Amino acid sequence: MPIAHLNIGSNQGDRQGNISLAVSLIDKQAGHVLAVSDPVESPPWGYDSANPFINVGINIDTSLTPFDLLDTLQAIERQISPNPHRNPDGTYRDRVIDIDIILYGDVHITTPRLTIPHPLMHQRPFVLSPLRQLTPPPQQRTR
């Protein structure tokens, strides 16, 4: 089964509790949670807010296809909070929970609905730091 790397963030309410609930629901509904990174606190990305985010990265072993995983994660987001992630004009807003697929094995997908690897991951330290923690560098070859 492929290993997927997800990023979970929250900047509303009990941020750590929201993330813990998401991790638990992902483990039950999407795939076995293999590892959870240390939390990273950061200001909102892409919009202004006084509410900082807490983010964690997780690695899961999943039998779901990338699109089924996306559907499941979006359903989990709605279970935790029915509030939309964006304003009516499409801009970002504060949110109780946000779950993004960052990597899915070595799969590359580019569709209007889903892009893997996540196209903006390289611009987001709150994604890269947990990813580095959970994805150790390849061992150097010995001669």
Side-chain angles (χ1 to χ4, degrees), residues 49-75:
S49 173
N51 303 311
F53 272 85
I54 292 179
N55 286 82
V56 300
I58 69 170
N59 289 344
I60 66 168
D61 189 6
T62 185
S63 60
L64 299 176
T65 69
F67 289 98
D68 289 340
L69 179 60
L70 177 63
D71 291 340
T72 300
L73 296 175
Q74 289 176 338

Side-chain angles (χ1 to χ4, degrees):
M1 288 191 282
I3 305 296
H5 180 78
L6 311 177
N7 191 274
I8 306 170
S10 176
N11 80 332
Q12 292 286 284
D14 177 4
R15 299 173 302 164
Q16 193 61 52
N18 298 335
I19 290 170
S20 295
L21 177 57
V23 170
S24 176
L25 292 171
I26 289 166
D27 191 60
K28 291 175 185 161
Q29 299 175 28
H32 177 65
V33 174
L34 301 170
V36 179
S37 76
D38 295 330
V40 174
E41 188 171 77
S42 64
W45 188 93
Y47 73 106
D48 293 324
S49 173
N51 303 311
F53 272 85
I54 292 179
N55 286 82
V56 300
I58 69 170
N59 289 344
I60 66 168
D61 189 6
T62 185
S63 60
L64 299 176
T65 69
F67 289 98
D68 289 340
L69 179 60
L70 177 63
D71 291 340
T72 300
L73 296 175
Q74 289 176 338
I76 290 169
E77 288 175 335
R78 287 188 302 275
Q79 277 181 267
I80 296 171
S81 173
N83 298 331
H85 289 175
R86 294 185 184 241
N87 293 311
D89 66 359
T91 57
Y92 291 123
R93 67 189 302 171
D94 290 340
R95 44 207 173 273
V96 172
I97 200 73
D98 184 36
I99 309 170
D100 290 327
I101 302 171
I102 305 302
L103 300 169
Y104 183 96
D106 56 4
V107 169
H108 290 258
I109 297 172
T110 303
T111 70
R113 188 164 171 247
L114 179 62
T115 302
I116 300 174
H118 193 288
L120 300 175
M121 69 184 214
H122 65 285
Q123 297 177 9
R124 298 174 173 180
F126 58 88
V127 171
L128 294 177
S129 177
L131 180 61
R132 275 192 299 271
Q133 183 183 356
L134 298 181
T135 309
Q139 293 188 1
Q140 294 180 351
R141 294 185 202 190
T142 57
R143 294 182 187 217

